[in-house]
Amino acid sequence: SSDVCSSDLTHNTLLQELLEKYEETFEILYPYGLNKLIEDDILEIVAPRLTLEGFFRLFDIPDKDRDKLWKEINKVVKKYSALYEF
């Protein structure tokens, strides 16, 4: 629903939004395929269209790793939203 706070992470969160808002996600996702997008020089093209779920599928990331990545990214997002709550 549209009244969900935008700092909540969902499987539909775009890669670009993650990388722009939360720079730690770069290091988290780098070894899982982000490095390939950069090497192939297509990060700028796919980041605005690729969701987190799409990223997981594109690089065929196993469930246990998805779980770990999800938790790590969520922690970063929560940390940031705590910083900006006044």
Side-chain angles (χ1 to χ4, degrees), residues 40 44 60 69 86:
D40 295 343
E44 283 76 25
D60 205 14
L69 289 171
F86 297 111

Side-chain angles (χ1 to χ4, degrees), residues 2-85:
S2 58
D3 59 344
V4 172
C5 173
S6 64
S7 68
D8 284 347
L9 183 66
T10 74
H11 285 284
N12 294 321
T13 300
L14 289 169
L15 195 57
Q16 180 164 0
E17 192 187 330
L18 284 175
L19 297 173
E20 282 177 1
K21 282 193 189 167
Y22 318 107
E23 49 195 42
E24 286 101 321
T25 58
F26 185 93
E27 281 150 40
I28 295 171
L29 293 172
Y30 191 81
Y32 289 92
L34 198 59
N35 54 336
K36 293 197 181 69
L37 296 179
I38 293 164
E39 281 162 27
D40 295 343
D41 208 20
I42 54 172
L43 183 62
E44 283 76 25
I45 301 163
V46 298
R49 301 189 184 90
L50 196 62
T51 61
L52 191 53
E53 178 65 32
F55 180 87
F56 288 168
R57 271 203 286 225
L58 181 65
F59 292 106
D60 205 14
I61 296 171
D63 283 347
K64 66 167 175 36
D65 287 341
R66 290 184 189 205
D67 223 42
K68 191 181 80 171
L69 289 171
W70 180 260
K71 286 197 180 83
E72 283 182 35
I73 293 171
N74 221 357
K75 212 159 61 184
V76 171
V77 171
K78 289 238 187 314
K79 187 183 83 178
Y80 273 81
S81 59
L83 286 178
Y84 297 123
E85 269 166 23

